Amino acid sequence: GAVVSQHPSWVICKSGTSVKIECRSLDFQATTMFWYRQFPKQSLMLMATSNEGSKATYEQGVEKDKFLINHASLTLSTLTVTSAHPEDSSFYICSAREGGEADTQYFGPGTRLTVL
Amino acid sequence: GQNIDQPTEMTATEGAIVQINCTYQTSGFNGLFWYQQHAGEAPTFLSYNVLDGLEEKGRFSSFLSRSKGYSYLLLKELQMKDSASYLCAVLDSNYQLIWGAGTKLIIKP
């Protein structure tokens, strides 16, 4: 099946610094990529949807200036958490979809962010 | 390599019971999740199993056998709104999520 990777797997940073997380589709071209945040034993919270070459669409309540998303190519999207604070500590998961809404969404393994 | 297998698609009748199986081969095990995802929406958490046995939550139950690398999600009294994709995901030894491709469940009247 299709593979989606994330890098890094985990990251620890100091408060106030910025962290970039990469999401790659390894064997298909992802027209659309999604970024989620997951709290323990809870549903995935959609943060934003990005289409290659265009600006990301952010969900209500998600600060676009704090969570910068770049979908520069059909195989790569990045999420940058700017000026990170301890409350940003979470498990960030990306997913990628090749075609339209009916297509399968493939999920990445997640990136665990801890902000000290 | 790491692998999660679940059927691609299943069909069931409204009011019936359906069991969606998931088998896994991962480097380590720190729990197994089941999510429900309707088209165009984010996955919704259904269950988390880390110990062997059956966990019941209303119409949904989830079973785990770590020795067999096997889990199933049991849905009872099926309703039309249960038509969705069901995702199985395992947390491996590095606390990374390994995802199945999802099972599309179609409910017919």
Side-chain angles (χ1 to χ4, degrees), chain A residues 9 36 38 41-44 46 91 93 101 104-105 107-110 112, chain B residues 33 35 37 39-45 48 87 91 95-97 99 101:
Chain A
S9 303
Y36 297 90
Q38 185 194 34
K41 298 185 188 179
Q42 292 187 29
S43 301
L44 274 61
L46 179 64
F91 198 40
I93 298 171
E101 195 172 282
T104 301
Q105 221 176 329
F107 289 84
R112 194 168 300 279
Chain B
F33 294 85
Y35 290 90
Q37 186 180 29
E41 297 181 15
T44 303
F45 171 81
Y48 171 71
L87 300 161
L91 208 56
Y95 290 92
Q96 295 277 277
L97 278 171
W99 294 86

Side-chain angles (χ1 to χ4, degrees), chain B residues 95-107:
Chain B
Y95 290 92
Q96 295 277 277
L97 278 171
I98 312 301
W99 294 86
T103 298
K104 184 178 180 180
L105 178 63
I106 300 168
I107 309 296

Side-chain angles (χ1 to χ4, degrees), chain A residues 2 15 19 41 43-44 58 60 80 84 86 91 98 104 106 112:
Chain A
S15 188
V19 174
K41 298 185 188 179
S43 301
L44 274 61
Y58 289 81
Q60 195 171 13
T80 302
F91 198 40
E98 186 169 17
T104 301
Y106 296 98
R112 194 168 300 279

